[in-house]
Amino acid sequence: MDVRSLSVVRAIVAEGSYQKAAQRLHCSQSTVSFQVRQLENELSVRLFERIGRRMVLSRAGGELLPHMESILFSMQQILQYGSGRRELVGDLRIAVAESLLSYRVHRILGAFVREAPRVRLQLHCLNCHDIRDGILAGEYDMGVYYDVGGHTSTLALTALGTAEGIIVASPDLPPELADFTTPHQEKDVSFIINEPRSIYRERMEAYLRSRHILLRNTMELRSIEAIKKTVAGNLGVSFLPRFAVERELDEGSLVELPSAMRDNTVEIICVRHRNREPAPAMLLFMDLLARSLLRNS
């Protein structure tokens, strides 16, 4: 077993195929296949299986990946130690919730690149549950997302403030449809939101159930910008973080609807694996992140 074979596994996980992993590592596909076979023979397990067109980790591969990541990280630290100082170099893989990446985290990216030009920054925009699971599996070095629970003791959490969710609609929405405080209603209006495991969707749906308010249907859109434009076009209402709709509220293309919701704030957290000492690049990103988000929370 050598470090190169572990790097090959990481590349396949990131790219989803031997061919793309070979391109990423600037080697031949046969070299990638050989490294995987050699490692599988040494470990006596199958590391990958094909699902559709993608190569994904087997169960054994998923269990071993965090240990491989730990070895690669330790090797990087050893190589950096020889320089006599901890340099801002290497890879930093960060997964961020869409609304935070689009309206909060993007502010620090320029500063990070200027201060750490030699760090290869990889950004992934994912659902909060997938970010949490990806950090546990060693796919990402850290995550910035909303606290959806389910964090084991192996994860280190840093609080970065809170975000307030609000119900928004077009100013043209009829007054009788804008009432989200009176219980026991059937409203001829759509709920426009993203995928089912969105924490904002979960909070809004829980509120509607508690007030016995039934909406016409739910329209799923992947992008927050698309959701805002659709709501502004008077096709329905949504529940979004206030910071994501500040501009539209100021311009008047969206309005905030009153509600009796008490559980409308969510915690913003930064998460990493406890068994890995944070590299200098990660510490820099966390510092920039904390200063930016706490200032605007």
Side-chain angles (χ1 to χ4, degrees):
M1 182 187 302
D2 59 27
V3 175
R4 181 172 176 78
S5 62
L6 302 184
S7 298
V8 166
V9 171
R10 173 195 278 178
I12 297 170
V13 171
E15 299 295 341
S17 74
Y18 285 13
Q19 180 182 8
K20 291 182 179 179
Q23 294 171 353
R24 176 174 177 159
L25 297 171
H26 306 290
C27 64
S28 67
Q29 185 172 339
S30 60
T31 298
V32 168
S33 299
F34 173 76
Q35 292 281 353
V36 173
R37 283 198 308 272
Q38 187 177 50
L39 186 57
E40 288 179 332
N41 290 336
E42 289 185 58
L43 299 175
S44 299
V45 297
R46 186 173 181 82
L47 295 173
F48 290 96
E49 54 190 27
R50 182 177 293 280
I51 298 181
R53 296 184 177 182
R54 290 186 62 85
M55 297 299 295
V56 299
L57 287 169
S58 64
R59 180 175 178 178
E63 293 174 350
L64 288 170
L65 183 61
H67 302 291
M68 297 181 188
E69 291 286 355
S70 180
I71 293 171
L72 289 170
F73 177 77
S74 298
M75 182 59 68
Q76 179 177 305
Q77 295 298 99
I78 292 171
L79 293 173
Q80 290 179 18
Y81 187 82
S83 66
R85 61 188 179 92
R86 304 190 76 197
E87 294 183 299
L88 294 169
V89 296
D91 297 315
L92 183 58
R93 302 164 302 158
I94 302 176
V96 189
E98 183 204 354
S99 57
L100 291 172
L101 180 59
S102 299
Y103 303 100
R104 284 292 184 262
V105 175
H106 74 287
R107 298 175 178 177
I108 72 168
L109 296 179
F112 179 82
V113 171
R114 286 192 297 273
E115 294 192 40
R118 297 179 60 195
V119 173
R120 293 182 293 273
L121 180 63
Q122 301 176 30
L123 283 173
H124 304 266
C125 185
L126 298 169
N127 172 274
C128 298
H129 298 271
D130 294 332
I131 297 174
R132 178 199 60 202
D133 297 344
I135 296 171
L136 278 169
E139 297 174 18
Y140 315 112
D141 298 313
M142 61 181 289
V144 184
Y145 56 104
Y146 303 108
D147 189 352
V148 292
H151 297 96
T152 69
S153 59
T154 59
L155 297 179
L157 280 64
T158 302
L160 295 173
T162 60
E164 177 192 9
I166 60 173
I167 303 175
V168 292
S170 164
D172 298 324
L173 186 71
E176 65 273 14
L177 296 180
D179 176 12
F180 277 83
T181 58
T182 303
H184 304 289
Q185 298 184 68
E186 289 190 17
K187 305 175 74 64
D188 188 24
V189 64
S190 297
F191 178 36
I192 304 173
I193 198 66
N194 46 11
E195 46 87 27
R197 294 202 300 170
S198 159
I199 189 168
Y200 288 98
R201 177 169 178 171
E202 292 172 350
R203 292 289 174 90
M204 180 65 171
E205 290 177 338
Y207 172 71
L208 294 174
R209 288 193 299 270
S210 73
R211 306 293 289 183
H212 303 284
I213 298 175
L214 180 64
L215 303 188
R216 179 174 58 202
N217 67 322
T218 298
M219 296 173 57
E220 292 185 6
L221 300 177
R222 293 295 176 181
S223 149
I224 292 180
E225 285 298 314
I227 291 171
K228 292 193 296 183
K229 286 181 171 57
T230 305
V231 173
N234 202 21
L235 296 181
V237 301
S238 190
F239 183 67
L240 296 170
R242 181 181 294 277
F243 64 71
V245 293
E246 287 174 337
R247 184 184 64 189
E248 289 78 10
L249 292 175
D250 289 341
E251 294 172 347
S253 58
L254 292 177
V255 295
E256 178 181 356
L257 301 184
S259 78
M261 190 181 303
R262 296 178 180 178
D263 189 22
N264 68 330
T265 59
V266 293
E267 297 287 333
I268 304 171
I269 54 176
C270 176
V271 179
R272 63 177 181 84
H273 213 288
R274 287 187 186 276
N275 69 357
R276 296 184 55 183
E277 179 187 357
M282 185 189 297
L283 292 174
L284 170 63
F285 197 95
M286 291 173 66
D287 180 59
L288 293 171
L289 188 66
R291 281 186 278 161
S292 175
L293 265 67
L294 290 174
R295 184 172 62 245
N296 292 281
S297 64

